[in-house]
Amino acid sequence: VLSRAFRNRFLEITVDDIPTDEITEILCKRYSLAPSFAERMVEVMNTLQMRRQSSHVFAGRHGFITPRDLFRWAERRPEDYQALAEHGFLLLGERCRKPEERQVVHDVMEKCMKVILDANVIYDPTHWPFVNKYYQLVEALNLKEKIVWTNSMQRLFTIVGLCLEHKEPVLLVGETGSSKTTICQVWAAVLEQHLHIINCHQHSEAADFLGSLRPAPPGSSEGLFRWEDGPLVRAMRSGDIFVLDEISLAEDSVLERLNSVLEPSRTLTLAEKSTGEMVVAAELFRALATMNPGGDFGKKELSPALRNRFTEVYVQPITDKAEIALILGKRMSDTLLPYAAKMADVLHSVAALRKDSVAHISVRDVVAWAEFMVATEGRCEGDISFVHGLDTVLLDGLSVGGGLSETSVEGLRAACMEACMKHVTTAPNVLQTPFWNLCTGIEEPVAPKTKGETFFFSAPTTRGNCSKILRGCVLKKAIMLEGSPGVGKTSIVEALGRAFNKFTVRINLSEQTDMMDLLGAFLPRPSEESDDGPRFEWCDGVLLSAVKAGHWVVLDELNLASQSVLEGLNALLDHRSSLYIPELCCEVTAHPDFRVFACQNPLVEGGGRKGLPKSFLNRFTKVRISAFTFDDLICIAKA
């Protein structure tokens, strides 16, 4: 609230809601709608404003619809009542996060428009000419991620496509691993437009999107600094697609800078630039954003003013066994195909047993298990791969990162394993056997002796921990190790690095760590004779250097770092395997040999450690490092 002393310097004017008859007139004259269409739309608005959303109680009468939503609906210019109702439901109903709220919009739309809404028709890409045109092209594309056309994926492709057709900014809200970023990449590929993806974090600044004054390259005649457009400005000029990933992590004060870009005028004034240039978006420019729902560690909702500028789409959680089986079947060979239905059944059972706030099966987990089965095909028995794959992807890491104690998840792990063992004939104790004894092509690590240091791999618990880490290396995902202090988390990774001749870089994180420490910065460079003054040059940070060189990186004490900084690494940890450097306006793709290991103590150990959200943890293969027993200590001491 502004202070009285400041407000007293203004002439305050209260802007009332627009009267109903005036809204009808605006719809008719501005959007050239028939009066009967406008009256039906206003009737829908009045009816919905008498209802209240349980998920947005404080939004009051504007929970379901606002005048801006009404004008966006009219902008689509439907041709008949059926199209009017379908577009209205997609705009107003698909943002609702609860089925009962979506049903309210559905019923009101049918009652006021006097039509029947069939979900099978609305979500069918072939029902919409613009979407159908590009839907036919997807299979011909050579995409990095194979697209499986489940009902959920078709729905998402259709809704996002209609928004892009009408130049609407899209906000995708959904649980982690529900294909939010993937659908943005698919649409950019079929539209043949360059895609700019920016990962937001708490330290994101407006300059990361818009641009700033940056050191001029050596030999430049432009002086010491020059203006460099940011990715948003370059996307607006070139007509590209711009995606703000994890938008809710950035500060509201930074995001509000984008308001004018999200309005129909699609303009941006660069006040930071000395010329105060106004940038008008090219015809093909499109803006999208993704976020997870609020409620998890560090997650928050966007302000109502910013959310209302987007066409919000709630990406529904994936729970259907048939969809999971379809995804698995498309990613596995004919030999492994019989396991698809079994895997879907187990994943569905695990999701039900976990009793999370939202029942959801992450597509990342589904794909990881399928990739594990494919990677070990022909190298070990199918049933063994089935059990070890489930333990690698889900069960071993149930207590990792979320603050749950080991005793609290033992019962859950046992129940999940019982559901798994119903589908295989292998012995239950197969998980106690070192994985290199079960799978060919994985070598048992041999302790190296360099610089007088000796690593001892033969202690029983150490062998088990090594086995789980090497098993996790079958997948191309980052690996998170969690265990009590002194159990050898960092040492075991460094020892494995030496055993397999991998250069290992250790980065100790803390509350003060920021992105500049990891990625690099512009620093003064030594003067040369040709220089006419001081010059700056870019120096890679330790993480960026490792990404380029293909080294192993150990992020030590991961949960001591600010979560917002860690979320800035999301693109490096998922299927994109890349880092965007705002200062250089470029994206760096990771070397094929690059791998991330993260080490942390459990949240319950205290000491300033923070819980990590599911969206971040889901990008790792989680490994629980067991503590040494008395026999282990005796074995190590004798060695």
Side-chain angles (χ1 to χ4, degrees), residues 444-462:
E444 181 177 358
V446 178
K449 293 185 178 181
T450 56
K451 300 179 182 178
E453 296 174 349
T454 302
F455 296 98
F456 187 68
F457 287 125
S458 298
T461 300
T462 304

Side-chain angles (χ1 to χ4, degrees), residues 77-88:
R77 292 180 167 81
E79 298 177 351
D80 53 37
Y81 286 125
Q82 184 67 38
L84 186 66
E86 289 174 351
H87 280 294

